[in-house]
Amino acid sequence: MSVAPKQQSFEPLIVAFCCNWCSYAAGDLIGTSRMSYPANVRIIRVPCSSRVSPNFVLRAFQRGADGVLVAGCHPGDCHYVSGNYHARRRLLVLKRILEFTGMEPERFEVHWISASEGNKFAEVMRDITENITALGPNRKLRDIR
Amino acid sequence: MRRIGVFVCWCGTNIAGTVDIEAVVEAAKKMPGVVYTGEYKYMCSEIGQSMIRDTIKKEQLDRLVIASCSPRMHEATFRRTAAAAGLNPYLVEIANIREHCSWVHKEKEKATTKAIALIRAAVAKAAYNRELVAGEIPVEQRALVIGAGIAGIQAALDIADAGFEVDLVERTPSIGGRMAQLDKTFPTLDCSACILTPKMVDVASHPHINLYTYSEVEKVEGYVGNFDVTIRKKARSIDMSRCTGCGVCLEKCPIKVDSEFNEGLIKRKAIYIPFPQAVPNVPVIDRTSCRWFKKGKCAVCKKVCPADAVDYEQADELLEKKYGGIVLTTGFDTLKLDEFGEFGYGKHPDIITSLEFERLINASGPTGGKLVRLSNQEIPQNIVFIHCVGSRDKARGKPYCSKICCMYTAKHAILLKEKYPHSQTYIFYIDVRTGGKEFEEFHRRAVEEYGAVYFRGIVGKVFPEGDKLLVQGVDSLSSRTIEIEADMVVLAAAMQARDDAAEVARMLGIGVDTHHFFVEAHPKLRPVETHSAGIYLAGACQGPKDIPETVAQAGAAAAKAIVLLSKKTLIADPCVSEVNEEICTGCLACIQVCPYKAITEKTLDQKVHGRVVQRLLAQVNEALCQGCGSCTAACRPGAINLKSFSNDQILAEVDAVCL
């Protein structure tokens, strides 16, 4: 095998699970208003942040994601009444476990972005991309390929 | 092997401008399971759709991936297209390469790579899509209208005229709302009461409308077609069936408090009818100020009532009702002016708000329509109006335009001049906005025929001098400082959402914007619907608007509700949870997290090694399940799954985007 490519052109891969009602809609809004954010983010639509099983996050890291984001409605504003509260508890535990495995905590984040917060959506995407670019590629939990 | 067809939309140049369509098509051809790849300028057009339909048949496609705009935009369209070609609509997947790709990324290379990744994910997911059949849910053919201002009245009348039962719930003792407080209406100068009160009477006498005044909605559960609502009928302390509305009690009651209807300009009694044309014309006892309820003494009203209608023992009543649809028409409040010290509101009786002015000039108002200075009961000579008090003011008020103030101030100027020809009005404005039929003409009339003097500029200070008010401002067009000795200053306070709008929204499961106005499903194409199916909006609870717009919106909301109620059953979304009984361990963690109580436990008799064993299992009520998927993430063995967002499907997407 050849030598690993130089690190300065590192483009991180970020998987974002967005709830259909708030964050996914905010993603649509930012598109409609023609603002931009880094193309490193790949969005997967889920009905609610509570649909995101820790399994999905682990699988993303396993398959080579350098960062994972879960975005849902603000606490109290869940389209399904209480889903994001469950997500909050569940994913906080996951974050602790990931930290325990030695992963940098910035690699897995949960944000609340409402359907009207297009700007926040872009901001979160820019921040997470920037942070993870600075961290470099993820090596924990990764498949040997 | 699957036979997946991928269709890439150019969306004119919206997608094709930043995404290399050719490269995307080439990449899609190599994706697993893809047997056909096509592209067209506008996939959603009739030509695009017929191309999809023909290809499904020709290539015997069993899954579709449409790479186009957001699924929130056209998923339903393409599902219908598939259904028209005989393919189950739930076998369609959308790759969002417009909002999430071409519109947000400028570099063609990166956008193309991302588009390919998104399509790969959609193809991977589509491979796991299953045929789903929509079930049916029954519709309770009865509507609830919350708030009985002009919007609620109009919506209730329209729905009732279509032949459906309507319950109209109003928090205050009478229907009528803000419009009942107004004097005349722009730009026609119809008397507000003359056009409103007949409608109020129609509501009261309509065979299909049940009126619940002095009542509040306390709990809303359920879903479209089947809302379970609890209404608290507050104790009126009057037996409505006995009261004749004679009004003796009102005269004899010894307690006086500020009248809400008259904006606190005069007093009302503790037992009161808010205004003479109130519907229902039955008094109510305000228990917070009534002497009987505070001290256990008095009972004058009970003694004088000839019909023996006063009932101190009456208690709040909780009604549990079922509705198919809900129209929300809760109206607006005006901004509190504590922050605007320079205008001196509250410090001098002659500095009033426009709504107070409206009461003062109203023939049925506290002064019988005689406009007087509240400080000395004299007729004012010079009157200064100030626009945009709190509107278009990011720092202290609201950033939005309250929309109606320019027009009602012009109306006030006209009414004043007509009533008192010697009076003079001065109006300070930022911009005069007169968008609307006959609005500009009306404003010009105020200036040209009625001599209203407009200054473009802001007022710096209002302060009392002698028995006058000195108004200091700047005319920014001539850069002059203006000083006016005014007898009265009228402030056009901003419209704002009700204090408890956010709570109401939470109760109903709908959204509010940053100013707590209720959010419509789409600002242009679904202006009266909310994101929660079966809940509709009308009037100023959705944003500042005038009476004609409110009435139009109420009619539209009623029409939407009628469309819903006219169906006996609705097609239920089949994307709900299902339990794999083979692997369910009966831990029932799913029940804990379900917000709709859609999961219950059941026992199953099963033969294991020749013995019958009882197993505890979870089961999903498909009519109640809304498809959030909370249970799926809580399920330890992974036995519960969400149709169309199953574990397999999402994991396949994850794998595909990470390739």
Side-chain angles (χ1 to χ4, degrees), chain A residues 30 74 111-114 116-125:
Chain A
I30 200 76
H74 283 272
H111 283 273
W112 313 122
I113 307 169
S114 85
S116 58
E117 293 176 321
N119 286 330
K120 183 174 174 188
F121 182 90
E123 224 168 82
V124 166
M125 297 304 169

Side-chain angles (χ1 to χ4, degrees), chain A residues 11 13 15 17 20-21 24-25 27-28 30-32 34-39 41-48 50-56 59-60 63-65 76-77 79-83 86 90 145, chain B residues 14 70-72 75 96 99-100 103-106 110-111 113-114 117-118 125 506 509 531-532 592-596 626-630 632-634 641-642 645-647 650-651 653-655 657-659:
Chain A
E11 287 284 350
L13 174 67
V15 177
F17 295 96
N20 180 45
W21 305 99
Y24 195 90
D28 282 357
I30 200 76
T32 319
R34 307 292 202 282
M35 317 237 317
S36 79
Y37 59 85
V41 184
R42 306 283 148 84
I43 294 166
I44 292 177
R45 183 164 74 129
V46 288
C48 176
S50 70
R51 173 68 190 96
V52 181
S53 160
N55 265 340
F56 303 162
R59 174 82 86 122
R63 291 294 147 94
D77 289 344
H79 182 81
Y80 300 105
V81 190
S82 58
H86 295 300
R90 201 177 277 148
R145 278 194 285 183
Chain B
N14 282 312
S70 171
R72 293 167 57 90
E75 188 171 52
N96 184 351
E99 280 87 343
H100 285 186
W103 274 354
V104 284
H105 306 312
K106 307 281 176 274
K110 283 184 176 172
T113 316
K114 182 171 172 180
L118 292 176
K125 185 182 180 192
R506 198 159 299 158
H531 273 300
S532 296
Q592 310 283 326
V593 298
C594 180
Y596 301 100
Q626 301 288 299
C628 67
S630 199
T632 54
N641 226 331
L642 185 62
F645 285 101
S646 70
N647 291 334
I650 297 178
L651 287 174
E653 276 187 279
V654 171
D655 290 354
V657 292
C658 288
L659 260 184

Side-chain angles (χ1 to χ4, degrees), chain B residues 155-172:
Chain B
L157 283 172
D158 286 350
I159 299 171
D161 282 345
F164 298 105
E165 289 284 315
V166 182
D167 287 359
L168 179 57
V169 175
E170 167 60 39
R171 171 148 65 181
T172 67

Side-chain angles (χ1 to χ4, degrees), chain B residues 258-336:
Chain B
D258 283 347
S259 158
E260 296 89 355
F261 182 78
N262 284 304
E263 294 292 311
L265 294 173
I266 49 163
K267 303 282 182 191
R268 61 161 171 84
K269 299 294 181 67
I271 182 168
Y272 69 106
I273 295 177
F275 55 105
Q277 300 81 17
V279 170
N281 205 347
V282 172
V284 54
I285 295 180
D286 167 9
R287 291 189 172 184
T288 54
S289 46
C290 171
R291 196 189 282 172
W292 174 264
F293 285 99
K294 279 166 81 178
K295 297 188 178 147
K297 279 186 252 178
C298 187
V300 170
C301 46
K302 196 174 176 71
K303 278 175 217 151
V304 299
C305 180
D308 194 22
V310 177
D311 178 5
Y312 297 134
E313 250 65 285
Q314 209 176 61
D316 287 6
E317 213 180 313
L318 286 179
L319 305 171
E320 294 197 0
K321 297 270 202 155
K322 210 172 165 91
Y323 301 99
I326 299 176
V327 181
L328 198 55
T329 55
T330 52
F332 69 98
D333 268 326
T334 51
L335 188 70
K336 316 276 177 292

Side-chain angles (χ1 to χ4, degrees), chain B residues 40-58:
Chain B
Y40 184 65
K41 279 212 166 119
Y42 297 100
M43 222 69 226
C44 58
S45 68
E46 179 44 41
I47 302 174
Q49 290 191 45
S50 70
M51 171 182 158
I52 296 173
R53 285 195 299 266
D54 296 345
T55 318
I56 291 173
K57 287 178 190 150
K58 211 169 102 199

Side-chain angles (χ1 to χ4, degrees), chain B residues 297-607:
Chain B
K297 279 186 252 178
C298 187
V300 170
C301 46
K302 196 174 176 71
K303 278 175 217 151
V304 299
C305 180
D308 194 22
V310 177
D311 178 5
Y312 297 134
E313 250 65 285
Q314 209 176 61
D316 287 6
E317 213 180 313
L318 286 179
L319 305 171
E320 294 197 0
K321 297 270 202 155
K322 210 172 165 91
Y323 301 99
I326 299 176
V327 181
L328 198 55
T329 55
T330 52
F332 69 98
D333 268 326
T334 51
L335 188 70
K336 316 276 177 292
L337 298 180
D338 309 337
E339 288 237 5
F340 297 83
E342 74 270 31
F343 300 135
Y345 178 74
K347 290 184 200 130
H348 193 283
D350 293 333
I351 304 170
I352 60 175
T353 65
S354 299
L355 207 51
E356 288 165 358
F357 182 89
E358 203 74 54
R359 291 310 302 152
L360 282 179
I361 205 162
N362 194 317
S364 69
T367 53
K370 192 172 155 197
L371 184 72
V372 292
R373 303 182 61 186
L374 294 169
S375 58
N376 58 10
Q377 305 298 314
E378 281 171 14
I379 291 169
Q381 239 335 285
N382 292 337
I383 299 160
V384 172
F385 290 88
I386 304 174
H387 277 187
C388 296
V389 179
S391 304
R392 306 176 68 193
D393 181 348
K394 253 189 195 162
R396 290 182 299 173
K398 306 287 176 187
Y400 53 82
C401 166
S402 292
K403 201 168 185 180
I404 58 170
C405 321
C406 291
M407 289 306 294
Y408 69 59
T409 304
K411 173 192 79 177
H412 288 164
I414 292 178
L415 292 178
L416 256 175
K417 198 76 176 175
E418 274 189 346
K419 244 180 187 164
Y420 307 107
H422 298 296
S423 67
Q424 178 60 51
T425 49
Y426 301 94
I427 299 171
F428 285 89
Y429 68 98
I430 306 180
D431 292 297
V432 175
R433 298 183 163 175
T434 55
K437 197 172 167 182
E438 303 274 319
F439 283 13
E440 176 63 17
E441 294 91 320
F442 185 79
H443 162 64
R444 292 315 309 166
R445 244 165 67 210
V447 178
E448 287 156 15
E449 288 174 37
Y450 292 89
V453 178
Y454 275 77
F455 295 116
R456 187 179 207 270
I458 43 170
V459 169
K461 208 171 179 193
V462 179
F463 55 95
E465 199 172 73
D467 69 335
K468 301 270 184 187
L469 291 162
L470 202 64
V471 180
Q472 288 181 336
V474 185
D475 179 0
S476 66
L477 293 181
S478 63
S479 301
R480 278 184 307 151
T481 4
I482 309 260
E483 264 196 13
I484 297 167
E485 275 197 353
D487 299 300
M488 188 180 255
V489 174
V490 183
L491 308 174
M495 283 169 103
Q496 65 174 357
R498 295 270 185 202
D499 289 340
D500 55 355
E503 269 167 62
V504 171
R506 198 159 299 158
M507 178 173 74
L508 286 151
I510 62 170
V512 288
D513 65 14
T514 42
H515 311 298
H516 289 187
F517 288 117
F518 300 134
V519 176
E520 62 282 359
H522 189 285
K524 295 182 188 72
L525 303 178
R526 296 171 69 197
V528 299
E529 291 154 88
T530 64
H531 273 300
S532 296
I535 301 180
Y536 310 99
L537 299 174
C541 62
Q542 182 256 347
K545 54 179 64 69
D546 62 6
I547 295 168
E549 275 184 321
T550 298
V551 171
Q553 206 184 11
K560 291 285 176 192
I562 292 165
V563 170
L564 168 67
L565 299 181
S566 61
K567 294 176 190 148
K568 287 230 161 51
T569 55
L570 283 178
I571 307 296
D573 188 355
C575 303
V576 292
S577 289
E578 59 179 345
V579 180
N580 182 344
E581 296 188 346
E582 300 287 305
I583 37 181
C584 177
T585 58
C587 72
L588 304 179
C590 46
I591 294 182
Q592 310 283 326
V593 298
C594 180
Y596 301 100
K597 302 184 184 74
I599 306 175
T600 46
E601 56 177 77
K602 75 164 186 186
T603 48
L604 186 76
D605 292 331
Q606 205 170 28
K607 260 194 171 167

